[in-house]
Amino acid sequence: MPIDLPRRTLLQLMAGLGLAAPLGRIAAADTNAATIGWPNDVPTWDPNQRFTPDAQPIFKAVFDQPLNQDPQLKLIPSLVKAWELAPDALSMAVELRDDVTFHNGEKMTTADFRYSFLDRVRSGLKLDIANSMKKVQDIVIESPTKAVMKFDSPAPTMPQWLAFLGSYVVPKNYIESQGLDNFLKKPVGTGPYKLAEYELNSRIVLERNDKYWGPPAKIARITIQIIKDPSARVAAIQSGQVDCTINIPVREAQRFGAEAELAAEINPITRVIMLNVRADLAFADENVRLAAHHAIDKSALSKAFYGGAAVPLSVLATPGTPGFIEDFTFKYDPALAKQLLAKSNFGPTHPVKIGLATTNGQFPSDYDIARAIVQMWKNVGIEADLQVIEYAKYFELNRGGKLPEATLYSWDNATGDPEIFLGYQLNPKMPFSPWKDEDIGNKVLALFNVADYNKRIAGYRDLERYAVEKGASMPLLQSVVTVVRKKNLAYQRYGNGWLLPQTLRWG
Amino acid sequence: MIATVITLIARRLLAAIPILLIVSALLFCLLRTLPVDPAAMSLPPNATIAEIEAKRREMGLDRPLPEQYVIWLHGALHGDLGQSIQLRRPAGSLVTATLPATIQLAVAAMVIAGALGFGGGLLLFHLRGTMLEPVADLVSILLLSIPEFLWGLILLFVFGVLLRALPFTGEVAPGLPVPHISGFLLIDSLLIGHPDVFYSACRHLVLPATALGLAFSPTIMRVLRSSLFDVYHEEYIQQARLRGLSERQVLLGHALKNAALPTLTLAGVQFGILFSGTLLVEVIYSYPGMGNLMVDAVRNADLPLIQAIGLTYCIVVLLINTAVDSLYLVLNPKLRVR
């Protein structure tokens, strides 16, 4: 028998049981506030200290960078309103805005700029920007708004670095007077939001900076709820406990896309999934390397694991970035792979044996992609022994020359500049690449000193093609980021996957 | 009795010193033999191989393992458990910042596990010999086979997503302040006179604590039932019946008291295990405790932080065991005579 319970009574009962609170919250959604489910906490509140790609959108809400990127990743002015890299790339003149104040009311000047990118680095603090700014020999202050950066060797990518990881202007006076510990507890930036509250591994509460020099944020209060588990993020958006979340499994994003109250996007970003390969062991044979690359059906991988949204790549650069080559395609051709292997006396009945390392859970579907590749290789005559490694072990294994012939790897480059794609990946002096070969290594190192932008980009494009044709570079897919949000919560989409709190708006 | 308990505690604390030294040495050696490179992890991605080598030397990773351990131990004895590689903060301060949340969660879970365990144990015993006994057995075995993280997901789905009855992210609702006095949010919220924060914190605690409690209650349930079976064969139970006491009085007044002792010992051991079970539950519920921190530390090969958290778990388990033994001594007069 149905119970006839008046709605008011039911709500009172539910309120008594504590059940109505979430429903009430949903009904009375505050358009001046939003909650985001975010996968990672910031490592520290010193924005110069750690290079953590996932934390950049949070840092960019509280701090400003000298330069910024537009949604298509083009460099645009920010705190620096004009900049000019010298033709020899040994110096760069910058002109700062004169209307910027920190959250504590102090004016931002070139003294803060010099402090952030030179004085702090030289003071011996353990800052990651010590590496990106290591070519900075001096920053000569000409006025409160004008300065010249001097480099000890050509620094052609300095403008890109001023809009990249760790490059944020911090307040000199505040840190010097209050001490670093107090700055970490109560960080002060020039960004569109002030940090109102922070709970380690739990939540970050941002409040709009009403005196921001740029366009004011549309939403007054943003709560960033740290939810590390992807299933919990799925549940949080589904239950309405957050208004927006990122990096949930692709299949879940597709499912949410069909729901009336939610919108879901699977956005390709400047992150490349690739195979990092060695130049020795069984891969000393160029035929084997090229066969391994030709045997991989990248479109099938994209369809199977990323709903077809991940773009198959032929070079180590993503579409729309300067290093991308539109008219170059490295074909999926299993017949050609078999022919190449036959030249080296291998085939399905007499397979070449190699190792393939992969992480499991470091990026979406990594282990599944590796398993699919093993199967694709088996079809042409490559027998791969699949090994699961922790990302943290990658560098140690590479240092000791213990990585197998190929390793599945994901590389993020928010700038889109080819130096930070191919230049880093095949640089023999850097810890990423297991490819140790003088021919390509010297070509890469030479490009690090090319000052002319066009010449540098052309050089990288040539080298990208060359590296792929030699089997030294095996790009697979452009990675994706998933965004699920309430339908009436809009955001600005960026080519590098940033979801900036200051671009969120209800409407 | 107090003197006996104090002697026991003192003896246990003295015994804890070599245990902690052995555990810390084992942990240190184990972590250092892992094929991870803390030097590379502590530097930015654009560091060169030469810079990583220099960092290895700076971190003392090129020295013999015993020397590295002695350096660490010297620091630890002076309150310095090292610096977190990933977070660039003292590992000790990170542990102290997150430990209260984990203790709060574990205690709440233990209360739930105890209530469900004792209640369920009594019910199982009550159903003995009835047609419902096999069903009850089956249910208890089913409960026993579900691990805490699965309970976490089930409860999250049912009460968080389906019914939308309880929150499942974080420690308190967005918009409410988080006071920092003792680190225990439930206590701090009352200290600052914010019942709304207390209420919200309780609601946020319900699902993770229940997930943990449900996973540990079946063991308590089954041990209590077995103990009651044993106790019911004792002569004093028959004598109690002959004295005309009702079955209820026999059970609650005589049998339960004695059957509770082995159950209490088990609950103590369970509490140690439950404490380490917070790891995954904290991640699922985004609960800002030490387990959550540990998962990050492992993911980033943050060896100093792993070492600090591992050692803290060891200390907590030793303290729990000491507390349980002391309680056992208080409750069991036979042990005091010995």
Side-chain angles (χ1 to χ4, degrees):
Chain A
M1 190 181 75
I3 300 168
D4 186 16
L5 201 62
R7 187 173 167 276
R8 182 182 292 256
T9 313
L10 177 69
L11 284 173
Q12 280 169 347
L13 275 172
M14 287 173 77
L17 292 168
L19 300 180
L23 302 181
R25 202 178 79 80
I26 290 163
D30 182 358
T31 54
N32 228 357
T35 304
I36 312 174
W38 201 261
N40 296 101
D41 197 357
V42 292
T44 161
W45 277 108
D46 184 342
N48 303 142
Q49 203 168 44
R50 291 301 272 160
F51 285 174
T52 313
D54 289 344
Q56 295 313 303
I58 301 174
F59 283 145
K60 283 177 81 72
V62 179
F63 302 93
D64 278 313
Q65 301 194 269
L67 296 176
N68 207 350
Q69 289 176 276
D70 70 7
Q72 288 74 42
L73 309 186
K74 192 180 157 226
L75 279 183
I76 54 171
S78 178
L79 295 179
V80 167
K81 65 177 185 181
W83 71 98
E84 190 176 358
L85 188 67
D88 59 2
L90 284 170
S91 66
M92 188 167 91
V94 295
E95 185 180 354
L96 303 188
R97 298 180 67 96
D98 63 357
D99 58 350
V100 180
T101 53
F102 287 103
H103 298 153
N104 62 350
E106 282 184 23
K107 194 159 183 169
M108 190 273 306
T109 68
T110 42
D112 301 298
F113 183 82
R114 183 189 151 98
Y115 177 71
S116 304
F117 299 111
L118 185 71
D119 298 343
R120 295 194 84 205
V121 170
R122 288 196 174 166
S123 71
L125 280 170
K126 291 174 182 171
L127 303 174
D128 280 2
I129 59 157
N131 271 76
S132 54
M133 296 293 143
K134 64 184 159 195
K135 288 183 178 177
V136 179
Q137 201 172 34
D138 197 6
I139 294 176
V140 180
I141 293 175
E142 293 178 346
S143 76
T145 57
K146 287 187 177 176
V148 179
M149 300 179 84
K150 307 260 187 192
F151 312 123
D152 61 11
S153 58
T157 53
M158 187 50 71
Q160 281 75 20
W161 271 104
L162 288 182
F164 197 30
L165 299 170
S167 294
Y168 296 87
V169 176
V170 295
K172 179 178 190 288
N173 285 342
Y174 180 78
I175 297 179
E176 285 184 343
S177 61
Q178 301 294 314
L180 184 60
D181 283 346
N182 284 328
F183 173 71
L184 294 176
K185 281 178 198 154
K186 200 173 178 329
V188 163
T190 58
Y193 282 101
K194 297 175 186 179
L195 180 69
E197 198 185 306
Y198 172 63
E199 295 298 323
L200 177 74
N201 273 337
S202 180
R203 68 174 177 174
I204 297 163
V205 181
L206 304 173
E207 271 173 9
R208 184 168 55 208
N209 172 13
D210 290 323
K211 292 178 183 164
Y212 187 53
W213 57 269
K218 302 281 187 301
I219 297 175
R221 190 179 173 91
I222 298 277
T223 301
I224 295 169
Q225 201 79 46
I226 309 299
I227 309 174
K228 293 177 187 171
D229 184 57
S231 313
R233 287 200 296 281
V234 168
I237 186 78
Q238 192 165 1
S239 63
Q241 291 196 21
V242 298
D243 302 308
C244 170
T245 192
I246 60 166
N247 278 346
I248 65 162
V250 170
R251 62 181 180 283
E252 298 288 358
Q254 288 170 322
R255 180 169 67 85
F256 284 133
E259 289 199 7
E261 288 182 356
L262 296 173
E265 285 100 22
I266 304 166
N267 300 329
I269 56 168
T270 49
R271 187 175 292 168
V272 173
I273 299 168
M274 63 192 151
L275 288 178
N276 267 351
V277 295
R278 293 179 68 131
D280 55 358
L281 308 177
F283 267 6
D285 185 338
E286 191 176 313
N287 287 330
V288 176
R289 296 198 303 269
L290 291 172
H293 197 176
H294 278 299
I296 299 172
D297 185 350
K298 299 171 187 175
S299 298
L301 294 177
S302 173
K303 276 180 200 151
F305 304 114
Y306 298 105
V311 180
L313 295 176
S314 292
V315 290
L316 209 58
T318 54
T321 61
F324 187 70
I325 308 172
E326 295 275 358
D327 57 354
F328 176 72
T329 309
F330 191 89
K331 287 188 297 183
Y332 162 58
D333 191 341
L336 179 58
K338 282 181 187 169
Q339 284 172 25
L340 286 164
L341 286 172
K343 280 187 199 171
S344 299
N345 299 318
F346 294 115
T349 53
H350 178 234
V352 56
K353 292 184 179 175
I354 65 166
L356 171 64
T358 180
T359 48
N360 190 355
Q362 179 68 24
F363 60 91
S365 304
D366 45 1
Y367 182 67
D368 295 328
I369 291 174
R371 286 201 335 167
I373 290 173
V374 169
Q375 193 54 45
M376 289 171 187
W377 281 348
K378 195 177 174 188
N379 294 340
V380 298
I382 298 172
E383 191 181 309
D385 173 32
L386 188 61
Q387 307 158 22
V388 176
I389 59 166
E390 294 293 321
Y391 177 70
K393 291 179 187 170
Y394 178 86
F395 297 106
E396 178 69 2
L397 292 170
N398 194 24
R399 202 172 61 88
K402 290 176 186 164
L403 282 174
E405 280 84 350
T407 305
L408 190 67
Y409 200 81
S410 166
W411 180 253
D412 189 81
N413 172 13
T415 69
D417 193 273
E419 179 180 293
I420 301 165
F421 272 134
L422 187 89
Y424 277 26
Q425 279 302 316
L426 290 182
N427 185 333
K429 290 188 175 177
M430 287 192 170
F432 314 108
S433 181
W435 182 267
K436 309 291 177 200
D437 166 75
E438 279 190 8
D439 172 33
I440 288 179
N442 289 336
K443 284 184 168 73
V444 169
L445 292 174
L447 282 169
F448 268 70
N449 290 320
V450 176
D452 181 79
Y453 180 81
N454 292 328
K455 210 172 151 189
R456 186 170 71 82
I457 299 298
Y460 274 114
R461 287 162 67 98
D462 288 345
L463 186 56
E464 275 163 10
R465 187 191 289 256
Y466 180 72
V468 170
E469 286 170 347
K470 293 288 284 178
S473 166
M474 294 190 199
L476 300 177
L477 298 167
Q478 180 181 14
S479 192
V480 296
V481 65
T482 50
V483 179
V484 182
R485 61 192 164 87
K486 286 185 177 157
K487 220 160 213 167
N488 57 343
L489 180 67
Y491 74 105
Q492 174 65 58
R493 183 178 153 186
Y494 280 79
N496 51 19
W498 286 342
L499 191 149
L500 302 179
Q502 56 267 42
T503 68
L504 289 174
R505 62 189 186 280
W506 292 103
Chain B
M1 185 178 75
I2 292 170
T4 319
V5 172
I6 290 172
T7 311
L8 175 90
I9 292 172
R11 231 177 18 223
R12 283 300 170 90
L13 291 179
L14 276 176
I17 295 170
I19 293 172
L20 282 174
L21 279 173
I22 292 166
V23 169
S24 68
L26 280 175
L27 203 57
F28 191 89
C29 294
L30 193 73
L31 291 174
R32 265 40 180 201
T33 51
L34 288 176
V36 296
D37 189 351
M41 294 299 287
S42 71
L43 286 170
N46 54 349
T48 62
I49 292 167
E51 285 164 342
I52 293 170
E53 283 304 323
K55 187 73 186 174
R56 282 179 61 77
R57 284 192 293 277
E58 184 197 317
M59 292 171 82
L61 298 170
D62 57 337
R63 296 182 195 176
L65 205 56
E67 193 183 333
Q68 288 184 45
Y69 175 68
V70 170
I71 293 169
W72 176 85
L73 187 64
H74 181 263
L77 290 173
H78 290 83
D80 177 12
L81 290 171
Q83 190 90 356
S84 158
I85 292 172
Q86 177 67 7
L87 305 174
R88 303 268 167 92
R89 285 170 61 182
S93 76
L94 288 164
V95 167
T96 47
T98 52
L99 183 60
T102 299
I103 291 176
Q104 190 171 273
L105 174 60
V107 170
M110 202 59 217
V111 169
I112 292 171
L116 290 174
F118 270 82
L122 289 172
L123 183 68
L124 281 179
F125 184 72
H126 181 70
L127 293 174
R128 70 191 185 285
T130 68
M131 282 172 67
L132 286 174
E133 189 180 12
V135 180
D137 256 343
L138 193 72
V139 171
S140 75
I141 290 168
L142 195 72
L143 291 177
L144 198 62
S145 60
I146 300 177
E148 68 275 7
F149 72 88
L150 197 55
W151 273 123
L153 291 172
I154 293 168
L155 294 178
L156 186 150
F157 179 72
V158 175
F159 294 97
V161 180
L162 222 55
L163 300 174
R164 299 192 178 189
L166 286 163
F168 55 85
T169 55
E171 225 181 349
V172 69
L176 291 176
V178 177
H180 293 277
I181 301 169
S182 65
F184 295 93
L185 185 57
L186 292 179
I187 297 170
D188 291 351
S189 56
L190 292 177
L191 287 177
I192 60 159
H194 263 284
D196 52 341
V197 177
F198 178 79
Y199 175 66
S200 178
C202 286
R203 294 186 76 226
H204 280 76
L205 197 57
V206 171
L207 290 182
T210 309
L212 275 168
L214 274 171
F216 289 96
S217 59
T219 319
I220 298 173
M221 227 178 258
R222 293 178 70 80
V223 170
L224 181 66
R225 185 183 64 165
S226 303
S227 302
L228 283 170
F229 275 137
D230 292 343
V231 166
Y232 261 62
H233 288 109
E234 298 285 338
E235 278 181 14
Y236 62 84
I237 297 292
Q238 303 305 324
Q239 285 169 4
R241 281 185 178 136
L242 289 173
R243 288 209 313 273
L245 297 181
S246 69
E247 275 305 306
R248 187 189 172 88
Q249 285 170 320
V250 171
L251 175 66
L252 299 178
H254 295 270
L256 189 59
K257 273 184 188 171
N258 291 289
L261 287 173
T263 315
L264 184 72
T265 311
L266 176 90
V269 176
Q270 287 286 307
F271 191 66
I273 301 169
L274 181 144
F275 202 78
S276 46
T278 56
L279 217 82
L280 288 176
V281 170
E282 282 185 7
V283 173
I284 291 169
Y285 289 98
S286 312
Y287 207 76
M290 207 168 61
N292 212 330
L293 193 68
M294 179 66 148
V295 171
D296 273 353
V298 171
R299 190 178 292 156
N300 295 308
D302 198 335
L303 302 189
L305 192 52
I306 298 173
Q307 175 93 23
I309 297 173
L311 204 61
T312 308
Y313 273 117
C314 179
I315 292 169
V316 169
V317 170
L318 284 173
L319 289 176
I320 291 167
N321 285 343
T322 307
V324 170
D325 285 352
S326 308
L327 194 61
Y328 202 68
L329 203 63
V330 173
L331 295 177
N332 192 346
K334 283 188 219 166
L335 289 176
R336 293 204 296 273
V337 173
R338 277 178 214 160

